[in-house]
Amino acid sequence: MPGLPPTPAAWSFTIAGLACMLLSLWLQLPMWLVVFGARSVAPGGGEYMVALFLGLPALLLAFVLLGITAAKAAWRSSLSCTAFAASLLPLAGWMVLLFRDLAR
């Protein structure tokens, strides 16, 4: 498996997926700071709305784009597989957060 994407199409999907993931993490950062207690909730709780309605869809788009590059054998590279695995971490965090709130 090559270290970097082998074709221009693989590069475009990988870069688009990484860009979506970084945008998603930037949009979700205020919410995660509130969840971990590093910041207090703003009046109205806008951190959660931005993270839920903008950050989560961007993360799902990144997951799909990086999943395509990791699944297609002609496009597979170490970078795409590592980025795909990295996109699973925030998704797992969302699952823990949602199930934690459902258990209350």
Side-chain angles (χ1 to χ4, degrees):
M1 177 173 12
L4 296 174
T7 66
W11 268 109
S12 64
F13 270 71
T14 303
I15 296 298
L18 286 171
C20 283
M21 189 167 69
L22 289 176
L23 174 67
S24 169
L25 293 176
W26 179 68
L27 291 169
Q28 293 177 35
L29 181 63
M31 183 204 65
W32 288 114
L33 290 174
V34 169
V35 167
F36 290 121
R39 186 172 157 181
S40 61
V41 177
E47 299 93 351
Y48 290 95
M49 293 300 114
V50 170
L52 183 63
F53 292 114
L54 297 175
L56 186 57
L59 181 62
L60 293 174
L61 180 61
F63 180 73
V64 167
L65 291 172
L66 294 170
I68 289 169
T69 61
K72 189 168 176 150
W75 290 2
R76 190 175 300 139
S77 67
S78 297
L79 176 65
S80 64
C81 290
T82 303
F84 178 71
S87 71
L88 290 173
L89 293 175
L91 280 175
W94 270 101
M95 298 311 283
V96 168
L97 184 66
L98 292 173
F99 286 129
R100 182 190 72 158
D101 285 346
L102 287 176
R104 286 185 181 182

